[in-house]
Amino acid sequence: MSSGKPVEALARGIRILEVLSRASGPMTNGQIARATELPPSTVSRLTDSLVQLGYLRFTSDQGAYRLTPKNLRLGYPVLANTPLASRAQRVLDEMSAETGCTAALAVRDELHVAFLATARGRDLRSVPLAVGGRLPISMSAAGIALLAAMEEPQKTRLVRSIRSDLTARGHSVKDFEESLVVGRDLLVINRGRWRSEIGGVAAPLRSGGELYALTFAVRVEYLDDDGEDRLLSSMRAAVDRLSD
């Protein structure tokens, strides 16, 4: 495998797609240039090429670009072919049926966690999660569970990167550091770190040499009664079933 630098034009094009994947709506060339820190002329050439290839759509009324469904051809096969995802789906369905809450399997995606498989809960206090959705590691139960189980020196490097990112975005580093205090069983309970009304329970697991996290997503009030014990019991049983 080559250890050389990536092809610059390819790397820049992927950077544009990544920025648009996180955007809440269409972006102009100027907005993309500021977000990617690329020259406007470069962004203009690359967005034109991505439109021709079918990965971007230009909206003339806004003078802006958005991703097209063609991008899903790259993402969904990755999720579907993840070894644990198909095996975990039945377990997630059982977890959701048992507790009434949304259950999901997550994996690390840079400074985020991405959901590989989900099972929607029927309880009114459950929170929907979508396959392919992402949450910051620092603000999600699944992210903290993954960090807790990560080996050194990878763990220290990732914590350092998250601290820098939080500082750059004006978020509390102290809250993140407090969330890193996890018990020996590595079960994580999150009350309102991502949004004040949303909580979660998560635990790490290893399968096929890869590190994953199982998580429940619920409204915080679910964790104020015996719901917490119900989730923890279901989580422990699921981890035992899916871990190597």
Side-chain angles (χ1 to χ4, degrees):
M1 181 179 295
S2 172
S3 60
K5 293 182 179 180
V7 177
E8 188 172 4
L10 176 60
R12 289 175 169 181
I14 290 174
R15 196 186 314 174
I16 289 174
L17 294 177
E18 289 177 340
V19 164
L20 282 165
S21 74
R22 296 190 292 267
S24 57
M27 296 179 69
T28 65
N29 275 332
Q31 291 171 324
I32 295 172
R34 288 189 291 274
T36 58
E37 299 182 346
L38 295 173
S41 59
T42 298
V43 169
S44 180
R45 290 195 301 271
L46 290 172
T47 52
D48 181 64
S49 295
L50 289 167
V51 167
Q52 293 182 47
L53 292 170
Y55 290 99
L56 295 185
R57 179 177 296 119
F58 180 71
T59 56
S60 56
D61 57 329
Q62 297 174 294
Y65 298 85
R66 67 167 65 248
L67 297 178
T68 69
K70 186 174 182 180
N71 290 275
L72 298 177
R73 299 182 191 178
L74 303 177
Y76 279 127
V78 174
L79 300 178
N81 292 324
T82 299
L84 185 62
S86 58
R87 185 160 66 91
Q89 188 63 59
R90 178 178 296 181
V91 175
L92 294 175
D93 290 340
E94 293 174 2
M95 292 168 68
S96 179
E98 177 185 4
T99 63
C101 298
T102 297
L105 176 71
V107 69
R108 178 192 167 197
D109 179 11
E110 295 185 347
L111 301 186
H112 292 73
V113 293
F115 300 111
L116 302 175
T118 66
R120 175 71 180 269
R122 295 184 178 182
D123 192 292
L124 294 177
R125 295 167 295 182
S126 68
V127 176
L129 295 174
V131 172
R134 299 162 77 241
L135 287 176
I137 287 175
S138 60
M139 298 180 182
S140 63
I144 298 303
L146 286 170
L147 259 180
M150 199 171 290
E151 297 178 353
E152 297 290 0
Q154 183 184 25
K155 179 178 179 178
T156 296
R157 289 197 296 265
L158 181 55
V159 168
R160 187 182 301 121
S161 296
I162 291 174
R163 286 193 186 113
S164 298
D165 180 67
L166 289 171
T167 300
R169 293 188 291 118
H171 293 302
S172 172
V173 174
K174 180 181 177 181
D175 289 346
F176 165 60
E177 291 177 340
E178 289 177 350
S179 71
L180 294 177
V181 181
V182 177
R184 289 185 178 180
D185 60 4
L186 302 185
L187 285 166
V188 174
I189 300 174
N190 180 334
R191 291 179 172 85
R193 284 282 293 124
W194 175 44
R195 293 182 183 173
S196 60
E197 73 277 14
I198 295 177
V201 172
L205 68 93
R206 291 188 182 275
S207 177
E210 298 293 334
L211 181 61
Y212 302 88
L214 285 176
T215 188
F216 282 112
V218 298
R219 300 189 72 82
V220 169
E221 59 262 29
Y222 190 99
L223 300 173
D224 291 341
D225 49 30
D226 62 352
E228 179 180 314
D229 291 336
R230 187 180 305 117
L231 295 182
L232 291 174
S233 176
S234 178
M235 183 67 67
R236 290 187 181 98
V239 169
D240 287 343
R241 290 176 62 185
L242 292 173
S243 297
D244 288 341

